[in-house]
Amino acid sequence: MKSRWMFTLLTASLVAGMVGTSYAEVKLDGELRVRGVVVNNEDGAASPSKGGFFEQRTRLNADASVDENAKVFIQLQDSRKWGEKKGIGDNSVATGQDVEALDMAQGYVELGKLFEQPLSVRLGRQAIAYGEHRLIGSLEWSNNARRFDAIKFMYKHDVADVDFFVAKVAESTGNWATDTNLAGIYASLKVVPQNNVDVYLLDTVAAGGTSFFTLGGRINGAVKDVNVDYTAEIAIQTGDSATDVDKSANAYAIKAGYTIPDVMGLRIGVEYDAATGQDTTTADEDEAFSNLYPTNHYLYGFTDDIGWTNIKAMSLNVSAKPMDNLKVALEYWKYTLAEENGAGEDDAGSEINLKANHEMSKKINCELGLALRDAGKTGATSYGYGLIPADESATLAYLSINVKFN
């Protein structure tokens, strides 16, 4: 507890110091989110099998312009479940890899106009996310979110925006070749009218001989004359999954929707996502697509047990905006394993999701979610409440309020 308050005091002193300088323009703002979650998994083996909890996330941000080409950004974050204790004799809750509830979620310096070019570099702890967060996401659904200790170069041009980054994901040996690292190049092309086109190359390195590349592309666009929107992404992975084990995997996602004119923004959509799994008969080859560091919650269902690996997922969905500040959505998912499990089953069940977003004001947003998860023949995982047995089901509901302030 003492170290937490010392950390807060030091950070506050730093911000105050920046405010006191003649060259610094400091913007202070923040965010508070409270979310209540209720789960019913009565057929599961976990104890408790039903119940709920509240979790809260509080953020304070300081964005300081050092000069016209440099700035410092600091984000403090407190993440906790109400009433939960971890550690000995304190009230802290795990945030990332730490046992303290309070942590520095982000802290970086950004230098712009390098070499008099539209090139900037960001050094330090930062959020990194691309596309729909299928492979690299900031995981804002989680109470802790995800941050990377990284160096990122950003080049902006009329033809394309290009990022190059290197991130230290986990320090384990002090040797770059055996620590867990992620590097990548991500380019967003601006040459196709009414479309966003991304191409990327990611390099994953970890202990045990893991070193493989992920090469992919994504397109997102619309045919406005007929009210059709679409998104497609494909990725392949190649390299070494481990010593003497080759990596050879692929994944793709396709979705499209049609918005009916003048009917409360009513959109009807379809989606199909697939990713290879591991064939147990090929011990010298890893065919399971690695989902890397995604934000899966809004991509494959609210219970969060499905990812972009060993899966064939189909969705039918509908959304509408009955009022300017209210959006509702309903989706049905059907899951099938790309490779059967040890019992020869591939039926991974289904999920029905209902979500409503109410914008109370520009800075206050409420979200209500409800999920009914059927485990199928393979079994599934209930959010926060253990395994759902095969042929059984569980429900998840949550209500969150998010307030931004400055």
Side-chain angles (χ1 to χ4, degrees):
M1 181 70 73
K2 182 178 179 181
S3 62
R4 183 193 312 168
W5 285 108
M6 290 180 62
F7 177 74
T8 306
L9 181 62
L10 287 172
T11 304
S13 300
L14 175 61
V15 172
M18 291 189 294
V19 173
T21 60
S22 60
Y23 54 80
E25 177 185 351
V26 180
K27 298 179 181 179
L28 300 177
D29 58 40
E31 175 186 357
L32 188 147
R33 185 181 76 183
V34 177
R35 181 167 61 206
V37 179
V38 177
V39 178
N40 187 342
N41 183 22
E42 288 186 298
D43 296 308
S47 178
S49 60
K50 63 178 181 178
F53 55 88
F54 281 90
E55 51 190 8
Q56 178 173 326
R57 184 175 72 192
T58 308
R59 288 174 172 172
L60 297 176
N61 305 320
D63 194 340
S65 297
V66 179
D67 58 37
E68 61 181 3
N69 295 323
K71 75 169 188 176
V72 171
F73 180 78
I74 295 174
Q75 181 181 76
L76 296 181
Q77 175 176 285
D78 180 88
S79 172
R80 64 182 64 242
K81 283 184 179 180
W82 287 7
E84 184 179 63
K85 293 184 179 182
K86 286 192 175 181
I88 300 175
D90 67 33
N91 293 322
S92 63
V93 176
T95 298
Q97 299 297 316
D98 304 315
V99 296
E100 297 288 356
L102 184 67
D103 195 9
M104 186 174 72
Q106 297 191 72
Y108 62 79
V109 58
E110 184 173 319
L111 308 175
K113 294 185 179 179
L114 301 178
F115 312 109
E116 300 299 322
Q117 299 294 321
L119 175 67
S120 59
V121 61
R122 184 176 294 176
L123 304 95
R125 190 166 183 81
Q126 57 192 278
I128 301 178
Y130 293 107
E132 293 180 293
H133 298 212
R134 290 189 186 273
L135 291 174
I136 301 177
S138 54
L139 198 59
E140 292 298 329
W141 162 260
S142 165
N143 214 45
N144 299 330
R146 178 186 291 118
R147 301 295 183 250
F148 293 91
D149 299 321
I151 302 173
K152 182 170 72 170
F153 290 90
M154 298 164 284
Y155 181 78
K156 297 187 179 298
H157 191 272
D158 293 339
V159 175
D161 294 338
V162 181
D163 287 1
F164 169 73
F165 65 90
V166 179
K168 173 73 69 174
V169 178
E171 176 80 40
S172 56
T173 65
N175 184 339
W176 187 272
T178 54
D179 290 335
T180 302
N181 307 301
L182 177 69
I185 300 175
Y186 199 101
S188 298
L189 309 181
K190 306 175 183 179
V191 294
V192 182
Q194 299 184 24
N195 284 270
N196 299 312
V197 180
D198 302 337
V199 292
Y200 53 85
L201 177 66
L202 309 175
D203 181 20
T204 303
V205 176
T210 300
S211 178
F212 63 87
F213 292 99
T214 303
L215 174 64
R218 174 180 176 270
I219 185 170
N220 168 252
V223 184
K224 295 183 179 180
D225 294 340
V226 293
N227 300 315
V228 171
D229 62 88
Y230 53 85
T231 304
E233 184 167 356
I234 186 171
I236 60 173
Q237 294 179 336
T238 183
D240 296 321
S241 177
T243 304
D244 299 325
V245 179
D246 295 332
K247 183 78 170 179
S248 180
N250 62 81
Y252 63 90
I254 302 172
K255 63 181 182 179
Y258 172 68
T259 301
I260 301 175
D262 305 319
V263 187
M264 298 184 298
L266 182 63
R267 178 188 180 275
I268 301 172
V270 294
E271 180 172 349
Y272 187 79
D273 307 320
T276 54
Q278 180 60 41
D279 184 348
T280 57
T281 64
T282 56
D284 61 344
E285 188 172 27
D286 180 6
E287 299 171 325
F289 189 81
S290 295
N291 206 178
L292 298 183
Y293 306 98
T295 304
N296 283 337
H297 179 74
Y298 295 110
L299 294 177
Y300 313 105
F302 296 167
T303 46
D304 292 341
D305 63 313
I306 299 294
W308 214 18
T309 183
N310 191 31
I311 197 66
K312 297 176 182 177
M314 181 189 71
S315 171
L316 300 175
N317 50 81
V318 60
S319 62
K321 199 171 184 181
M323 297 187 296
D324 289 340
N325 58 356
L326 176 65
K327 183 177 181 180
V328 294
L330 176 67
E331 57 185 25
Y332 169 79
W333 284 95
K334 176 60 181 175
Y335 309 118
T336 304
L337 298 182
E339 295 289 341
E340 296 177 347
N341 65 11
E345 300 287 354
D346 64 359
D347 174 17
S350 62
E351 184 166 316
I352 299 174
N353 294 323
L354 174 65
K355 184 175 72 169
N357 285 94
H358 177 47
E359 190 178 83
M360 300 176 65
S361 70
K362 290 184 177 180
K363 295 185 177 181
I364 304 176
N365 181 269
C366 292
E367 180 173 306
L368 172 67
L370 174 65
L372 173 60
R373 179 75 165 96
D374 178 79
K377 298 294 184 182
T378 63
T381 302
S382 172
Y383 180 80
Y385 281 79
L387 295 177
I388 307 172
D391 295 321
E392 302 294 348
S393 62
T395 57
L396 160 73
Y398 67 87
L399 175 64
S400 69
I401 181 169
N402 194 80
V403 180
K404 296 181 179 181
F405 55 89
N406 54 18

